[in-house]
């Protein structure tokens, strides 16, 4: 980050690959819905399940444990991250290399779209800049801390209102 000239890092947040991240969120959501349906079936008619609820619970726990472990690993390796710096924003790719960056002095605005559904929630953010294509990324979650921090940092730098 030091070679980009964007100043001190004020925060780093996870971003997702739009296709893979959304598919993973949808699959985890459906898994959770199926698990809930299995638990309801177990309560209504325990003899119809034959002990599958314990196996399904173990699978759901393993999937979510892998999710949290993957989050920690990618954060440590700097993979798929958005770095908010004192003088700009930088986004890394799935290998931890800088995919794109923009200085606050070049920013003309920020566009944000929220997607919230039963099994997926994310924000698509475009940082508009002079004379170049926008820097874009997808932040996971319905109430993304990244979006709030990005807007706060943009206001602090005087670019956004």
């Amino acid at each position: 980050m030091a070679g980009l000239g964007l100043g001190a890092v004020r925060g780093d947040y996870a971003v997702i690959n739009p296709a893979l991240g959304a598919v993973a969120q949808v699959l985890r959501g459906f898994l959770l819905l199926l698990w809930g349906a299995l638990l309801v079936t177990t309560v209504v008619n325990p003899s119809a399940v034959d002990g599958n609820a314990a196996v399904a619970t173990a699978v759901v726990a393993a999937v979510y444990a892998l999710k949290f472990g993957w989050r920690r690993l990618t954060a440590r390796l700097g993979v798929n991250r958005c770095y908010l710096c004192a003088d700009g924003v930088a986004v890394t790719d799935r290998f931890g290399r800088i995919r794109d960056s923009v200085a606050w002095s070049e920013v003309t605005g920020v566009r944000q779209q929220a997607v919230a559904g039963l099994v997926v929630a994310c924000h698509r953010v475009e940082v508009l800049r002079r004379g170049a294509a926008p820097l874009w990324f997808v932040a996971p979650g319905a109430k993304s801390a990244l979006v709030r921090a990005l807007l706060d940092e943009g206001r602090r730098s005087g670019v956004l209102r």
Side-chain angles (χ1 to χ4, degrees):
M1 299 308 305
L4 293 175
L6 296 177
V9 175
R10 295 185 182 268
D12 68 297
Y13 301 88
V15 295
I16 58 175
N17 178 307
L20 296 177
V23 168
Q25 279 186 338
V26 168
L27 291 177
R28 283 192 310 265
F30 280 132
L31 178 65
L32 202 57
L33 289 174
L34 288 173
W35 177 69
L38 183 63
L39 290 181
V40 168
T41 304
T42 302
V43 171
V44 172
N45 188 5
S47 64
V49 179
D50 292 335
N52 290 335
V55 173
T57 301
V59 168
V60 168
V63 165
Y64 279 89
L66 285 172
K67 172 188 151 187
F68 291 119
W70 182 251
R71 277 187 184 177
R72 291 181 64 92
L73 178 65
T74 57
R76 179 167 287 204
L77 297 175
V79 174
N80 288 333
R81 306 296 289 174
C82 178
Y83 292 96
L84 299 179
C85 302
D87 298 326
V89 180
V91 178
T92 62
D93 62 9
R94 65 179 161 246
F95 301 111
R97 296 183 305 233
I98 300 295
R99 176 172 59 94
D100 202 355
S101 65
V102 62
W104 286 119
S105 60
E106 298 174 11
V107 173
T108 60
V110 174
R111 247 189 266 158
Q112 172 206 351
Q113 295 175 329
V115 176
L118 185 60
V119 293
V120 67
C122 60
H123 293 263
R124 185 180 196 284
V125 178
E126 291 182 7
V127 179
L128 307 173
R129 54 185 161 185
R130 289 184 202 94
L135 166 76
W136 67 272
F137 54 86
V138 178
K143 295 181 180 178
S144 175
L146 169 56
V147 174
R148 192 170 335 144
L150 175 76
L151 295 175
D152 289 344
E153 195 65 30
R155 287 184 196 103
R156 185 201 59 77
S157 68
V159 174
L160 304 175
R161 296 178 192 181

